Amino acid sequence: IENFAFADCRLLSNFHVDVDGSITLLQKNTFFGTNLKELRISGSIKEVESYVMGDSLDDDNKITLEILRVDHQGVDGATENGSLEGIQDNAFRGCKELSTLVLNGTKKIGISAFENCQKIKEVVFPVSLENIEDSAFKYCSALESVRIPAAVNKLGEDAFFNNAQLKTVTIEQNSNLVSIGASAFRGCTRLTDFTFGGDMQPSTELTIGDGAFAECGSLERIGQLASSASQMNIHPNFKKIVDADPNNFYLLPQNVKSLGAANGIGVFSN
């Protein structure tokens, strides 16, 4: 579906790719100037290009999208599985009314794909997801919790930057995660728990970038946290990261290879 295919169709409010439908590509500005509120995929879309809804900074384009739902069996009553394989850079950037986001069949979420989508409270990620690129969910100020599927190997720089309502992040068991980028969770001031749901893949070495958890003033636990070494028997899958006070420490998986500290920006600064 080519550039501006439905541009200025002001009465268009719903677009549904049904179970028998297959679309290779939704190109840039496909829905520019529409009043689209719901994009539902029960069939398959190979890829969505940048600014599929148009540029949110364009005064002639008011983005009204509220629901992006790729049918996922058992979620919101769906009985079929749809598929959206790739979401390119800036695809839904600035969709400030977007509140429901259910993905399925997705392997990659591009740079700033959902940046500044201020009403998303929860994201349903598919097990197929491998990469969440830089700034993918930056400034998603209503997002409250995130569950990262085991297949994800990269959380990009600024991936969840300044998500003020984010409280919990869970990395699923047998994770392939090798990189948490610089400032990935920086400024998530209400984040209290960052939990590894179980063992990581034995071959995985995890690098945590500069300032990944900087300005997370409410962070109480990453992996596990103890107030005294004498109160905890350390499981062999974890290693101790000592705080300024030697009686306080974080436990991180043994797979952690390095903690960034360049330019004076510590992983846990402030």
Side-chain angles (χ1 to χ4, degrees), residues 17 23 27 64-65 76 82 92 99 114 124 137 193 199 202 212 232 267:
V17 181
I23 295 173
Q27 290 190 338
T64 57
L65 186 68
D76 292 339
F92 296 94
S99 58
F114 295 97
V124 177
F137 293 92
D193 290 293
D199 296 347
M232 176 175 288
V267 170

Side-chain angles (χ1 to χ4, degrees), residues 141-166:
S141 54
L143 191 60
E144 295 179 351
S145 64
V146 172
R147 192 171 188 90
I148 306 296
V152 172
N153 57 64
K154 175 187 176 183
L155 295 179
E157 296 183 6
D158 296 333
F160 296 92
F161 180 92
N162 207 29
N163 287 357
Q165 297 298 324
L166 186 62

Side-chain angles (χ1 to χ4, degrees), residues 1 5 22 28 46 54 56 66 94 130 134 137 152 154 161 269:
I1 298 180
S22 180
K28 187 175 182 179
K46 183 76 172 176
S56 62
E66 297 176 0
E130 296 175 356
D134 298 352
F137 293 92
V152 172
K154 175 187 176 183
F161 180 92
S269 62

Side-chain angles (χ1 to χ4, degrees), residues 99-147:
S99 58
T100 299
L101 179 56
V102 179
L103 300 176
N104 201 27
T106 308
K107 293 183 178 180
K108 175 185 174 182
I109 299 175
I111 296 170
S112 297
F114 295 97
E115 181 176 339
N116 207 26
C117 292
Q118 299 175 2
K119 292 189 177 181
I120 299 174
K121 289 187 175 182
E122 182 183 9
V123 182
V124 177
F125 288 128
V127 295
S128 57
L129 188 63
E130 296 175 356
N131 285 334
I132 299 176
E133 296 290 346
D134 298 352
S135 302
F137 293 92
K138 186 176 185 178
Y139 299 133
C140 291
S141 54
L143 191 60
E144 295 179 351
S145 64
V146 172
R147 192 171 188 90

Side-chain angles (χ1 to χ4, degrees), residues 27-128:
Q27 290 190 338
K28 187 175 182 179
N29 293 309
T30 295
F31 300 110
F32 179 94
T34 69
N35 283 307
L36 190 71
K37 294 186 181 300
E38 180 175 1
L39 174 57
R40 181 184 172 197
I41 302 166
S42 303
S44 65
I45 294 180
K46 183 76 172 176
E47 201 162 38
V48 173
E49 277 193 350
S50 61
Y51 298 109
V52 67
M53 301 298 301
D55 191 339
S56 62
L57 299 179
D58 190 323
D59 292 337
D60 294 326
N61 184 43
K62 182 180 178 182
I63 298 177
T64 57
L65 186 68
E66 297 176 0
I67 300 170
L68 171 58
R69 186 170 78 241
V70 186
D71 281 352
H72 190 129
Q73 280 188 347
V75 178
D76 292 339
T79 57
E80 303 287 345
N81 276 325
S83 177
L84 171 55
E85 186 171 327
I87 302 173
Q88 290 190 11
D89 300 350
N90 301 301
F92 296 94
R93 183 175 184 172
C95 292
K96 294 183 179 180
E97 300 302 315
L98 184 62
S99 58
T100 299
L101 179 56
V102 179
L103 300 176
N104 201 27
T106 308
K107 293 183 178 180
K108 175 185 174 182
I109 299 175
I111 296 170
S112 297
F114 295 97
E115 181 176 339
N116 207 26
C117 292
Q118 299 175 2
K119 292 189 177 181
I120 299 174
K121 289 187 175 182
E122 182 183 9
V123 182
V124 177
F125 288 128
V127 295
S128 57

